[in-house]
Amino acid sequence: MKNIKNIHTFHIPVMGIGFTIDTPVKVAQYGISSVISLVDDMLFEKMREYYCKQLNISFKPITNINNDYRVKRITSYLNLIDKIVKDKFEEIKNSILEKSSELEKYMDMLPDFSVLKKEFEQIVQNNIYIKDIRNWIQNNLLVGSIDVNIMTKIDKENYNNGEKLSVEYNDAHAALCGFAKSNLESSIIFSAGMNQRLYSYIENFDDFYPDENGQLKKKITLKVSDYRSALIQGKFLAKKGLWISEFRIESGLNCGGHAFATNGCLMGPILEEFKNTRDILISTIHEIYVQALKDKNRTYPKEPLDVKITAQGGISTAEEHQFLIDYYQLDSIGWGTPFLLVPEVTNVDENSIKLLSKAGEDDLYLSNISPLSVPFNSLRNNTKDIEKTERIKKEIPGSPCPKHYLVSNKEFTDKEVCLASRQYQKLKIKELDTKDISPEEYKKQYDKIVDKSCLCVGLGTSSLIKKSLDTKIEGKGVSICPGPNMAYFSETVSLKEMTDHIYGRKNIIKEKYLPNMFIKELSIYIDYLKKKIDETQKPISKKEINFFNTFRKNLISGIKYYKNLFSNDMIKIHNIKNGAIKKLELFENELNTIKI
């Protein structure tokens, strides 16, 4: 597999279920990598049919008659996306003689410091033979990676005629198998923590092992929140002869979608730890990896395979982007939320685009609407929430739950059900009615029950609406999951304009005040801590007191780290020099006054 490290220094992370479901066919031909969510195989079928019709390709539906229908749907869709991307990439390479060609667009979007870009300019200027230029293009242009994402905890058990199927038919297991059987040469990104049973299942697929040349056809990326998690998961997989090709560090709270808060550890110190211990991490895992491959009688590399360290979460400016690359020696930066306002890249319906364009800081909030009971970044007044509120007013709260992807609860049933489902909420409210509690406490608990939203539908519907496809099963409600930095982007732009913004050739942010990503994350964490303390039942237990004190201690430690970092004369970023130290001191004083 070709290394894409030096093509672009940014990637487009997974967003929701449907927002990036076909992003690769829009960006991969330009060398830009992006990620597809593997949650919804039903949505895959609709999208596969759509593209088959667009391209006059025969379409044969994959029904749910056989137990492995989910595997087949995922494999078929990924193979189709792979074919479309390869065809588009060939068109670009063959467009050299066309005026304002796609090849020109490919080159224009590369960063100005790109070696590839400079070489191409020199060859065009100095070589009059089209044949030589064409050969150079064939040998040097690289396509973006079509990566996929699995949330490890979304691994629902499946049934056939009331009988529970074996574990390989679980949702996450089947998604992994679907990717493993596809033609893709790319990475699978595991997020939301370790699933040992799922990780062990990877051992069954040869594409994850090195070939005789030490190359991996399919790679593993771990989305992690800290160094300790990376080391634990890396060792676990290495013992099975599985290499981690990328550790993708995401801000705990300053991100889009589900937010997995750390215990107060901030992104800057976390990146510093990775920077300082990168070689130790790689060598430690390599030693375990080689021994495991030897035990399996497989080819093993004498030297460690490539490992990327990347980061994402809250990046808004070219300065921040380049600072992360240079100072922390990162290989790529994830730009997610801003691409929700790039219609040619993501699937966002017109109504949601209007909401996103107008959204200020108060419109973007950390909600409790996820059925997974994980904090979820959301946008006020999205149509899915409006739909939910209307049901509550009619005293029929909860969703019909047409897809069952986020089921997790067996409180009242033998089979898992979703906390956002009408079935669960009806039973939970019935239980609440039997409690002898005050009206105020009743309302508090009732609101908590009905607040859950049907995300597995809401996060995918926008792709259907945008392509004018049938939404009879899903409805029209759209959930949207931007990060807090959506507040600083206010207009739709093209792919070219967004890449120009990322690389500092253009500024698309009109906000006069733009907090640095580290400062913003810190403020979110402080608000999160205060809210957690307020919501904790009194009296607070000793265990909870210890947790809150550790949380605060880590935040204060992070503030000291940033004071030292921002005082460094080598750091030349406008929005961390402009009153940043004073802001940190205010935050430190605020933390010291919080009563636990």
Side-chain angles (χ1 to χ4, degrees):
M1 180 178 175
K2 291 183 178 179
N3 193 323
I4 62 168
K5 180 178 178 180
N6 297 319
I7 297 300
H8 281 282
T9 60
F10 78 94
H11 58 271
I12 303 174
V14 66
M15 285 185 275
I17 292 173
F19 300 120
T20 56
I21 193 169
D22 60 345
T23 292
V25 306
K26 303 164 185 177
V27 303
Q29 63 269 31
Y30 303 115
I32 300 170
S33 298
S34 59
V35 188
I36 296 172
S37 167
L38 296 187
V39 169
D40 193 345
D41 59 272
M42 287 186 259
L43 183 59
F44 275 8
E45 274 294 272
K46 289 188 176 184
M47 294 294 289
R48 187 167 69 89
E49 182 178 14
Y50 168 82
Y51 275 107
C52 283
K53 287 181 178 178
Q54 292 287 311
L55 301 170
N56 293 318
I57 298 173
S58 175
F59 172 78
K60 184 178 180 180
I62 299 172
T63 65
N64 59 1
I65 295 175
N66 297 317
N67 293 337
D68 62 349
Y69 70 91
R70 179 169 167 83
V71 174
K72 290 180 177 178
R73 285 175 175 177
I74 290 172
T75 301
S76 297
Y77 180 72
L78 295 180
N79 284 346
L80 177 61
I81 296 297
D82 183 54
K83 179 186 184 308
I84 295 171
V85 166
K86 285 176 178 175
D87 289 346
K88 288 191 171 189
F89 188 49
E90 286 302 313
E91 288 177 10
I92 285 181
K93 290 191 289 186
N94 293 326
S95 68
I96 185 171
L97 296 178
E98 297 176 16
K99 190 176 181 180
S100 298
S101 69
E102 287 290 276
L103 177 61
E104 185 178 332
K105 184 177 180 180
Y106 182 108
M107 292 298 173
D108 283 348
M109 285 195 289
L110 292 174
D112 293 339
F113 54 78
S114 167
V115 174
L116 188 72
K117 189 173 191 174
K118 291 177 180 177
E119 283 185 6
F120 180 72
E121 291 171 351
Q122 289 175 357
I123 288 172
V124 170
Q125 290 172 4
N126 301 327
N127 199 322
I128 60 172
Y129 298 107
I130 294 296
K131 180 181 177 182
D132 292 340
I133 298 175
R134 188 170 278 135
N135 287 337
W136 183 91
I137 289 170
Q138 290 293 333
N139 293 327
N140 288 276
L141 256 62
L142 299 180
V143 68
S145 187
I146 306 170
D147 298 326
V148 301
N149 173 253
I150 289 179
M151 283 188 70
T152 57
K153 300 299 190 289
I154 303 180
D155 198 20
K156 170 176 62 74
E157 298 171 340
N158 287 306
Y159 294 78
N160 187 356
N161 295 323
E163 294 291 325
K164 187 168 75 170
L165 299 173
S166 54
V167 67
E168 63 263 28
Y169 296 107
N170 284 15
D171 277 5
H173 281 69
L176 169 60
C177 184
F179 168 71
K181 291 185 174 182
S182 75
N183 299 329
L184 292 180
E185 296 185 31
S186 59
S187 293
I188 186 164
I189 299 160
F190 293 108
S191 59
M194 185 189 293
N195 179 334
Q196 293 188 15
R197 190 168 62 176
L198 178 65
Y199 285 3
S200 298
Y201 187 49
I202 308 172
E203 290 183 88
N204 293 289
F205 305 103
D206 286 339
D207 281 1
F208 289 99
Y209 296 100
D211 62 20
E212 61 276 6
N213 298 314
Q215 298 297 308
L216 298 171
K217 184 175 181 181
K218 289 184 170 65
K219 299 182 179 182
I220 298 171
T221 293
L222 294 183
K223 189 185 288 187
V224 295
S225 57
D226 56 38
Y227 180 82
R228 180 175 176 272
S229 173
L231 184 60
I232 291 172
Q233 294 186 70
K235 284 183 174 181
F236 181 87
L237 287 162
K239 288 176 183 177
K240 299 179 179 301
L242 300 168
W243 186 250
I244 310 305
S245 296
E246 179 183 342
F247 291 100
R248 186 165 288 190
I249 304 153
E250 183 173 58
S251 169
L253 294 178
N254 193 19
C255 60
H258 286 94
F260 297 89
T262 65
N263 60 345
C265 295
L266 299 171
M267 196 170 185
I270 291 169
L271 292 175
E272 186 76 36
E273 187 173 12
F274 271 93
K275 173 185 174 181
N276 294 333
T277 57
R278 179 175 186 156
D279 291 342
I280 297 173
L281 174 67
I282 294 171
S283 62
T284 301
I285 293 173
H286 172 70
E287 184 177 341
I288 299 170
Y289 176 65
V290 168
Q291 186 58 54
L293 290 176
K294 287 180 179 179
D295 293 342
K296 289 176 179 283
N297 293 317
R298 286 185 174 272
T299 302
Y300 60 91
K302 293 181 180 180
E303 298 295 327
L305 300 176
D306 287 342
V307 177
K308 293 183 182 179
I309 307 293
T310 65
Q312 57 197 47
I315 296 95
S316 299
T317 69
E319 279 185 316
E320 290 175 345
H321 174 94
Q322 200 57 45
F323 168 72
L324 293 176
I325 294 285
D326 294 339
Y327 185 80
Y328 295 108
Q329 299 166 20
L330 299 176
D331 298 291
S332 181
I333 305 299
W335 283 72
T337 290
F339 274 99
L340 291 172
L341 288 178
V342 186
E344 68 181 280
V345 172
T346 54
N347 296 306
V348 185
D349 59 289
E350 289 186 13
N351 180 74
S352 296
I353 284 179
K354 289 178 182 177
L355 287 175
L356 292 169
S357 299
K358 297 177 182 178
E361 290 184 336
D362 292 339
D363 300 306
L364 303 153
Y365 71 109
L366 198 60
S367 74
N368 293 309
I369 67 173
S370 172
L372 300 178
S373 297
V374 175
F376 185 79
N377 280 291
S378 192
L379 174 67
R380 298 189 195 281
N381 298 316
N382 66 75
T383 51
K384 196 66 181 176
D385 278 359
I386 292 172
E387 183 182 277
K388 178 183 68 178
T389 303
E390 289 300 314
R391 286 201 180 106
I392 294 170
K393 287 180 180 178
K394 294 177 182 178
E395 298 185 347
I396 49 170
S399 166
C401 197
K403 296 193 173 183
H404 307 285
Y405 292 124
L406 300 186
V407 298
S408 62
N409 186 279
K410 289 186 177 181
E411 190 176 348
F412 304 108
T413 55
D414 293 331
K415 293 182 182 179
E416 293 176 330
V417 296
C418 179
L419 297 184
S421 69
R422 189 171 298 164
Q423 177 187 8
Y424 173 81
Q425 293 190 9
K426 182 178 180 181
L427 292 169
K428 193 65 176 175
I429 292 169
K430 185 177 179 181
E431 178 191 66
L432 180 62
D433 289 339
T434 65
K435 295 183 177 181
D436 184 18
I437 53 179
S438 67
E440 293 79 13
E441 183 60 25
Y442 181 93
K443 185 178 186 307
K444 181 180 178 181
Q445 293 189 31
Y446 178 87
D447 290 345
K448 186 177 180 180
I449 294 168
V450 301
D451 192 30
K452 303 301 181 188
S453 184
C454 182
L455 293 183
C456 68
V457 170
L459 292 174
T461 303
S462 184
S463 58
L464 299 176
I465 295 173
K466 188 170 180 179
K467 289 180 169 54
S468 301
L469 298 178
D470 176 44
T471 59
K472 185 177 181 181
I473 294 174
E474 295 84 359
K476 297 287 187 180
V478 173
S479 301
I480 194 86
C481 52
N485 63 333
M486 186 78 258
Y488 316 122
F489 296 86
S490 58
E491 59 183 24
T492 58
V493 294
S494 67
L495 171 60
K496 176 64 167 59
E497 288 174 315
M498 184 56 76
T499 57
D500 284 347
H501 175 77
I502 292 170
Y503 291 133
R505 298 185 289 245
K506 180 176 183 175
N507 180 24
I508 63 174
I509 294 178
K510 295 182 178 179
E511 285 283 329
K512 291 183 179 179
Y513 171 70
L514 179 67
N516 170 261
M517 56 176 287
F518 290 151
I519 299 289
K520 180 65 176 179
E521 185 197 46
L522 174 59
S523 69
I524 296 171
Y525 263 99
I526 293 173
D527 290 342
Y528 179 84
L529 174 61
K530 291 192 294 186
K531 185 178 179 182
K532 278 290 181 184
I533 294 171
D534 289 341
E535 291 176 347
T536 302
Q537 188 174 353
K538 309 303 184 290
I540 301 178
S541 69
K542 184 176 180 180
K543 181 180 178 181
E544 289 166 329
I545 289 173
N546 289 337
F547 171 77
F548 291 138
N549 280 327
T550 298
F551 199 106
R552 176 166 60 181
K553 181 181 177 181
N554 287 335
L555 289 179
I556 291 174
S557 175
I559 289 173
K560 290 179 180 177
Y561 168 83
Y562 287 137
K563 281 183 178 179
N564 290 330
L565 179 70
F566 297 169
S567 299
N568 187 340
D569 291 335
M570 299 297 292
I571 307 299
K572 298 183 183 300
I573 300 181
H574 173 71
N575 64 4
I576 66 171
K577 289 296 184 183
N578 188 14
I581 302 294
K582 185 177 181 180
K583 190 73 174 175
L584 289 172
E585 289 174 349
L586 291 173
F587 282 140
E588 190 171 20
N589 291 335
E590 184 178 359
L591 283 168
N592 287 326
T593 60
I594 293 176
K595 294 181 180 180
I596 302 175

